[in-house]
Amino acid sequence: AQKVTQAQTEISVVEKEDVTLDCVYETRDTTYYLFWYKQPPSGELVFLIRRNSFDEQNEISGRYSWNFQKSTSSFNFTITASQVVDSAVYFCAPLGEGQNFVFGPGTRLSVLP
Amino acid sequence: KAGVTQTPRYLIKTRGQQVTLSCSPISGHRSVSWYQQTPGQGLQFLFEYFSETQRNKGNFPGRFSGRQFSNSRSEMNVSTLELGDSALYLCASRAGTAGLRIAHTEAFFGQGTRLTVV
């Protein structure tokens, strides 16, 4: 069975601060694909970053990066130099059996000017 | 290229009625998935269609159904609406793959249809 935990319900930071969002993904699978999505107030989910189990390095895409800690099954997502437009709900979403996403509960990020 | 289009954006229905939601995926994408988002249950997978065939289904009652047309456009239908069906329904488009191999590409989502059942 898979379990996705995003312990942080809400986070507030001041613009230009770095912010890290936590995700714990418990699975017995040795091959997995894990995604981060952002949901702004407009409603659509926007793809941010992806990690595959066979990735050698943590991925960096612009201001987004993430860090994998195998010992704790943590896939933490970091936004560098946050901006007000980063305010949204962020979801950690591994691919489950059958190719559908299994979304975590989400973390609401507020970036204050 | 055009993104994922969902219609209508907002809908108000009465308990007991039925409703049909539409999703047009990105051109060339053959996989369309539907998700329900509610404050209490979060984002939950409804079903996925690939080349007009339902390939996977979530844990929802039979009142929820869907279909996909030859142009990859998809519709989902909810019959005998209940108050608890009030939610944001999101459609996801992916290039997809045939067979059982996991498609690890990202999905592109529409803005959703917000359904309110009164």
Side-chain angles (χ1 to χ4, degrees), chain B residues 72-114:
Chain B
S72 292
R73 189 177 71 86
S74 176
E75 290 181 346
M76 68 162 281
N77 185 278
V78 188
S79 62
T80 319
L81 284 166
E82 300 177 0
L83 296 178
D85 297 333
S86 295
L88 179 66
Y89 290 87
L90 291 163
C91 165
S93 166
R94 276 197 299 188
T97 58
L100 300 177
R101 183 165 59 89
I102 291 177
H104 53 276
T105 56
E106 62 269 25
F108 297 87
F109 286 80
Q111 288 189 300
T113 294
R114 185 164 296 281

Short mmCIF file of all heavy atoms in Angstrom, two decimals, chain B residues 72-114:
data_model
loop_
_atom_site.label_atom_id
_atom_site.label_comp_id
_atom_site.label_asym_id
_atom_site.label_seq_id
_atom_site.Cartn_x
_atom_site.Cartn_y
_atom_site.Cartn_z
N SER B 72 -10.50 11.77 -28.66
CA SER B 72 -9.94 11.80 -27.31
C SER B 72 -10.71 12.69 -26.33
O SER B 72 -10.40 12.65 -25.14
CB SER B 72 -8.46 12.20 -27.30
OG SER B 72 -7.68 11.20 -27.89
N ARG B 73 -11.67 13.44 -26.80
CA ARG B 73 -12.50 14.20 -25.86
C ARG B 73 -13.23 13.24 -24.94
O ARG B 73 -13.58 12.12 -25.33
CB ARG B 73 -13.51 15.06 -26.62
CG ARG B 73 -14.28 16.04 -25.74
CD ARG B 73 -15.22 16.91 -26.57
NE ARG B 73 -16.35 16.16 -27.08
CZ ARG B 73 -17.48 15.96 -26.40
NH1 ARG B 73 -17.63 16.43 -25.17
NH2 ARG B 73 -18.48 15.28 -26.96
N SER B 74 -13.41 13.68 -23.71
CA SER B 74 -14.02 12.79 -22.72
C SER B 74 -15.18 13.50 -22.03
O SER B 74 -15.19 14.72 -21.90
CB SER B 74 -12.98 12.35 -21.69
OG SER B 74 -13.57 11.55 -20.68
N GLU B 75 -16.12 12.71 -21.62
CA GLU B 75 -17.22 13.21 -20.80
C GLU B 75 -17.33 12.34 -19.56
O GLU B 75 -17.04 11.14 -19.60
CB GLU B 75 -18.55 13.14 -21.57
CG GLU B 75 -18.68 14.11 -22.71
CD GLU B 75 -20.03 14.01 -23.41
OE1 GLU B 75 -20.76 13.02 -23.18
OE2 GLU B 75 -20.34 14.92 -24.20
N MET B 76 -17.74 12.96 -18.47
CA MET B 76 -18.09 12.18 -17.31
C MET B 76 -19.53 12.54 -16.91
O MET B 76 -19.96 13.67 -17.10
CB MET B 76 -17.14 12.37 -16.14
CG MET B 76 -17.14 13.71 -15.47
SD MET B 76 -16.37 13.64 -13.82
CE MET B 76 -17.69 12.94 -12.85
N ASN B 77 -20.22 11.56 -16.42
CA ASN B 77 -21.62 11.71 -16.06
C ASN B 77 -21.83 11.29 -14.63
O ASN B 77 -21.25 10.30 -14.17
CB ASN B 77 -22.49 10.85 -17.01
CG ASN B 77 -23.95 11.05 -16.76
OD1 ASN B 77 -24.51 10.43 -15.87
ND2 ASN B 77 -24.58 11.90 -17.55
N VAL B 78 -22.61 12.07 -13.93
CA VAL B 78 -23.00 11.69 -12.58
C VAL B 78 -24.53 11.67 -12.54
O VAL B 78 -25.18 12.67 -12.85
CB VAL B 78 -22.49 12.67 -11.51
CG1 VAL B 78 -22.76 12.12 -10.11
CG2 VAL B 78 -21.00 12.94 -11.69
N SER B 79 -25.08 10.53 -12.21
CA SER B 79 -26.53 10.40 -12.17
C SER B 79 -27.01 10.49 -10.72
O SER B 79 -26.23 10.30 -9.78
CB SER B 79 -26.96 9.06 -12.78
OG SER B 79 -26.42 7.99 -12.03
N THR B 80 -28.26 10.79 -10.56
CA THR B 80 -28.89 10.86 -9.23
C THR B 80 -27.99 11.62 -8.25
O THR B 80 -27.48 11.09 -7.26
CB THR B 80 -29.19 9.45 -8.68
OG1 THR B 80 -29.69 8.62 -9.72
CG2 THR B 80 -30.23 9.54 -7.57
N LEU B 81 -27.79 12.88 -8.55
CA LEU B 81 -26.86 13.70 -7.78
C LEU B 81 -27.22 13.75 -6.30
O LEU B 81 -28.40 13.81 -5.92
CB LEU B 81 -26.83 15.11 -8.35
CG LEU B 81 -26.05 15.28 -9.64
CD1 LEU B 81 -26.38 16.63 -10.30
CD2 LEU B 81 -24.55 15.17 -9.38
N GLU B 82 -26.16 13.73 -5.49
CA GLU B 82 -26.29 13.88 -4.05
C GLU B 82 -25.56 15.14 -3.62
O GLU B 82 -24.67 15.63 -4.33
CB GLU B 82 -25.71 12.65 -3.34
CG GLU B 82 -26.38 11.35 -3.72
CD GLU B 82 -25.72 10.15 -3.06
OE1 GLU B 82 -24.74 10.35 -2.32
OE2 GLU B 82 -26.20 9.01 -3.29
N LEU B 83 -25.91 15.65 -2.44
CA LEU B 83 -25.26 16.87 -1.96
C LEU B 83 -23.75 16.68 -1.88
O LEU B 83 -22.97 17.59 -2.16
CB LEU B 83 -25.82 17.25 -0.59
CG LEU B 83 -27.30 17.63 -0.54
CD1 LEU B 83 -27.72 17.95 0.90
CD2 LEU B 83 -27.60 18.81 -1.45
N GLY B 84 -23.33 15.49 -1.51
CA GLY B 84 -21.91 15.19 -1.37
C GLY B 84 -21.14 15.16 -2.67
O GLY B 84 -19.91 15.06 -2.66
N ASP B 85 -21.84 15.24 -3.79
CA ASP B 85 -21.15 15.27 -5.09
C ASP B 85 -20.66 16.67 -5.43
O ASP B 85 -19.96 16.86 -6.43
CB ASP B 85 -22.10 14.79 -6.19
CG ASP B 85 -22.52 13.33 -6.01
OD1 ASP B 85 -21.76 12.57 -5.39
OD2 ASP B 85 -23.62 12.97 -6.47
N SER B 86 -21.03 17.64 -4.60
CA SER B 86 -20.54 19.01 -4.82
C SER B 86 -19.02 19.00 -4.70
O SER B 86 -18.47 18.58 -3.68
CB SER B 86 -21.14 19.96 -3.77
OG SER B 86 -22.52 20.05 -3.92
N ALA B 87 -18.35 19.45 -5.74
CA ALA B 87 -16.90 19.35 -5.78
C ALA B 87 -16.36 20.08 -7.01
O ALA B 87 -17.13 20.50 -7.87
CB ALA B 87 -16.47 17.88 -5.85
N LEU B 88 -15.04 20.17 -7.05
CA LEU B 88 -14.34 20.60 -8.25
C LEU B 88 -13.91 19.35 -8.99
O LEU B 88 -13.23 18.49 -8.42
CB LEU B 88 -13.13 21.45 -7.88
CG LEU B 88 -12.27 21.97 -9.05
CD1 LEU B 88 -13.06 22.96 -9.89
CD2 LEU B 88 -10.99 22.62 -8.54
N TYR B 89 -14.31 19.22 -10.22
CA TYR B 89 -13.96 18.04 -11.02
C TYR B 89 -12.88 18.45 -12.02
O TYR B 89 -13.09 19.34 -12.84
CB TYR B 89 -15.18 17.47 -11.73
CG TYR B 89 -16.14 16.83 -10.75
CD1 TYR B 89 -17.12 17.57 -10.10
CD2 TYR B 89 -16.02 15.48 -10.42
CE1 TYR B 89 -17.96 17.00 -9.17
CE2 TYR B 89 -16.86 14.89 -9.48
CZ TYR B 89 -17.83 15.67 -8.86
OH TYR B 89 -18.65 15.09 -7.92
N LEU B 90 -11.75 17.80 -11.91
CA LEU B 90 -10.59 18.13 -12.73
C LEU B 90 -10.31 17.03 -13.73
O LEU B 90 -10.40 15.84 -13.43
CB LEU B 90 -9.37 18.34 -11.84
CG LEU B 90 -9.38 19.59 -10.96
CD1 LEU B 90 -8.37 19.48 -9.85
CD2 LEU B 90 -9.11 20.83 -11.79
N CYS B 91 -9.94 17.46 -14.91
CA CYS B 91 -9.59 16.55 -15.98
C CYS B 91 -8.08 16.67 -16.24
O CYS B 91 -7.54 17.78 -16.23
CB CYS B 91 -10.39 16.92 -17.22
SG CYS B 91 -9.83 16.23 -18.76
N ALA B 92 -7.43 15.55 -16.46
CA ALA B 92 -5.99 15.54 -16.73
C ALA B 92 -5.72 14.89 -18.07
O ALA B 92 -6.27 13.84 -18.39
CB ALA B 92 -5.25 14.79 -15.63
N SER B 93 -4.83 15.49 -18.82
CA SER B 93 -4.48 15.03 -20.15
C SER B 93 -3.02 14.57 -20.16
O SER B 93 -2.15 15.27 -19.65
CB SER B 93 -4.69 16.20 -21.13
OG SER B 93 -4.09 15.97 -22.37
N ARG B 94 -2.77 13.40 -20.71
CA ARG B 94 -1.39 12.91 -20.84
C ARG B 94 -1.23 12.25 -22.19
O ARG B 94 -2.19 11.70 -22.74
CB ARG B 94 -1.06 11.87 -19.75
CG ARG B 94 -0.63 12.44 -18.45
CD ARG B 94 0.05 11.43 -17.57
NE ARG B 94 -0.80 10.30 -17.23
CZ ARG B 94 -0.47 9.38 -16.35
NH1 ARG B 94 0.71 9.44 -15.76
NH2 ARG B 94 -1.27 8.39 -16.10
N ALA B 95 0.01 12.24 -22.66
CA ALA B 95 0.26 11.54 -23.92
C ALA B 95 -0.10 10.08 -23.77
O ALA B 95 -0.68 9.46 -24.64
CB ALA B 95 1.72 11.71 -24.33
N GLY B 96 0.25 9.50 -22.62
CA GLY B 96 -0.16 8.14 -22.32
C GLY B 96 0.60 7.10 -23.10
O GLY B 96 1.30 7.40 -24.07
N THR B 97 0.47 5.86 -22.67
CA THR B 97 1.08 4.74 -23.37
C THR B 97 0.08 3.59 -23.40
O THR B 97 -0.77 3.47 -22.52
CB THR B 97 2.36 4.24 -22.69
OG1 THR B 97 2.05 3.87 -21.34
CG2 THR B 97 3.42 5.31 -22.67
N ALA B 98 0.20 2.75 -24.40
CA ALA B 98 -0.64 1.57 -24.48
C ALA B 98 -0.09 0.51 -23.53
O ALA B 98 1.02 0.60 -23.04
CB ALA B 98 -0.66 1.04 -25.90
N GLY B 99 -0.88 -0.48 -23.25
CA GLY B 99 -0.42 -1.58 -22.42
C GLY B 99 -0.33 -1.20 -20.96
O GLY B 99 -0.92 -0.23 -20.50
N LEU B 100 0.41 -1.92 -20.20
CA LEU B 100 0.45 -1.76 -18.76
C LEU B 100 1.65 -0.95 -18.27
O LEU B 100 1.78 -0.68 -17.10
CB LEU B 100 0.46 -3.14 -18.09
CG LEU B 100 -0.75 -4.03 -18.39
CD1 LEU B 100 -0.59 -5.38 -17.73
CD2 LEU B 100 -2.03 -3.34 -17.92
N ARG B 101 2.52 -0.56 -19.17
CA ARG B 101 3.71 0.16 -18.73
C ARG B 101 3.31 1.51 -18.15
O ARG B 101 2.52 2.24 -18.71
CB ARG B 101 4.66 0.34 -19.91
CG ARG B 101 5.98 1.02 -19.56
CD ARG B 101 6.98 0.83 -20.70
NE ARG B 101 6.50 1.38 -21.94
CZ ARG B 101 6.72 2.64 -22.31
NH1 ARG B 101 7.35 3.46 -21.52
NH2 ARG B 101 6.27 3.08 -23.47
N ILE B 102 3.87 1.85 -17.04
CA ILE B 102 3.52 3.10 -16.38
C ILE B 102 3.98 4.29 -17.21
O ILE B 102 5.11 4.36 -17.63
CB ILE B 102 4.15 3.17 -14.98
CG1 ILE B 102 3.47 2.16 -14.05
CG2 ILE B 102 4.01 4.56 -14.39
CD1 ILE B 102 4.06 2.11 -12.68
N ALA B 103 3.07 5.20 -17.43
CA ALA B 103 3.41 6.43 -18.15
C ALA B 103 3.88 7.43 -17.12
O ALA B 103 3.08 7.95 -16.35
CB ALA B 103 2.20 6.95 -18.90
N HIS B 104 5.18 7.71 -17.09
CA HIS B 104 5.71 8.56 -16.05
C HIS B 104 5.82 10.01 -16.48
O HIS B 104 6.53 10.78 -15.86
CB HIS B 104 7.07 8.04 -15.59
CG HIS B 104 8.03 7.85 -16.72
ND1 HIS B 104 8.05 6.71 -17.48
CD2 HIS B 104 8.98 8.66 -17.23
CE1 HIS B 104 8.99 6.82 -18.40
NE2 HIS B 104 9.57 7.98 -18.28
N THR B 105 5.12 10.33 -17.56
CA THR B 105 5.12 11.73 -17.98
C THR B 105 4.14 12.51 -17.13
O THR B 105 3.20 11.97 -16.56
CB THR B 105 4.71 11.83 -19.45
OG1 THR B 105 3.44 11.20 -19.61
CG2 THR B 105 5.73 11.16 -20.34
N GLU B 106 4.38 13.83 -17.11
CA GLU B 106 3.49 14.67 -16.32
C GLU B 106 2.13 14.78 -16.98
O GLU B 106 1.99 14.58 -18.18
CB GLU B 106 4.10 16.06 -16.12
CG GLU B 106 4.33 16.85 -17.39
CD GLU B 106 5.71 16.60 -17.96
OE1 GLU B 106 6.29 15.54 -17.69
OE2 GLU B 106 6.20 17.47 -18.70
N ALA B 107 1.14 15.09 -16.19
CA ALA B 107 -0.21 15.32 -16.70
C ALA B 107 -0.48 16.82 -16.70
O ALA B 107 0.06 17.57 -15.89
CB ALA B 107 -1.24 14.61 -15.82
N PHE B 108 -1.32 17.22 -17.63
CA PHE B 108 -1.72 18.62 -17.73
C PHE B 108 -3.20 18.70 -17.38
O PHE B 108 -4.01 17.95 -17.93
CB PHE B 108 -1.47 19.15 -19.15
CG PHE B 108 -0.02 19.13 -19.54
CD1 PHE B 108 0.54 17.99 -20.10
CD2 PHE B 108 0.79 20.23 -19.31
CE1 PHE B 108 1.88 17.95 -20.43
CE2 PHE B 108 2.14 20.20 -19.65
CZ PHE B 108 2.68 19.06 -20.21
N PHE B 109 -3.50 19.60 -16.48
CA PHE B 109 -4.87 19.69 -15.96
C PHE B 109 -5.63 20.88 -16.52
O PHE B 109 -5.03 21.93 -16.81
CB PHE B 109 -4.84 19.79 -14.43
CG PHE B 109 -4.49 18.52 -13.73
CD1 PHE B 109 -3.17 18.11 -13.62
CD2 PHE B 109 -5.48 17.72 -13.18
CE1 PHE B 109 -2.85 16.92 -12.97
CE2 PHE B 109 -5.17 16.54 -12.52
CZ PHE B 109 -3.85 16.14 -12.42
N GLY B 110 -6.94 20.71 -16.61
CA GLY B 110 -7.81 21.82 -16.93
C GLY B 110 -8.13 22.62 -15.68
O GLY B 110 -7.69 22.27 -14.57
N GLN B 111 -8.89 23.69 -15.85
CA GLN B 111 -9.24 24.53 -14.71
C GLN B 111 -10.38 23.96 -13.89
O GLN B 111 -10.68 24.45 -12.81
CB GLN B 111 -9.60 25.94 -15.20
CG GLN B 111 -8.39 26.72 -15.67
CD GLN B 111 -8.72 28.17 -15.94
OE1 GLN B 111 -9.56 28.48 -16.79
NE2 GLN B 111 -8.05 29.07 -15.23
N GLY B 112 -11.00 22.91 -14.40
CA GLY B 112 -12.01 22.22 -13.62
C GLY B 112 -13.42 22.73 -13.84
O GLY B 112 -13.64 23.82 -14.37
N THR B 113 -14.35 21.91 -13.44
CA THR B 113 -15.76 22.28 -13.39
C THR B 113 -16.18 22.24 -11.94
O THR B 113 -16.03 21.21 -11.28
CB THR B 113 -16.64 21.30 -14.21
OG1 THR B 113 -16.31 21.40 -15.58
CG2 THR B 113 -18.12 21.63 -14.00
N ARG B 114 -16.67 23.38 -11.47
CA ARG B 114 -17.14 23.41 -10.08
C ARG B 114 -18.63 23.10 -10.07
O ARG B 114 -19.43 23.90 -10.55
CB ARG B 114 -16.86 24.75 -9.42
CG ARG B 114 -17.24 24.75 -7.94
CD ARG B 114 -16.63 25.91 -7.19
NE ARG B 114 -15.19 25.90 -7.14
CZ ARG B 114 -14.46 25.15 -6.33
NH1 ARG B 114 -15.06 24.31 -5.49
NH2 ARG B 114 -13.14 25.24 -6.34
#
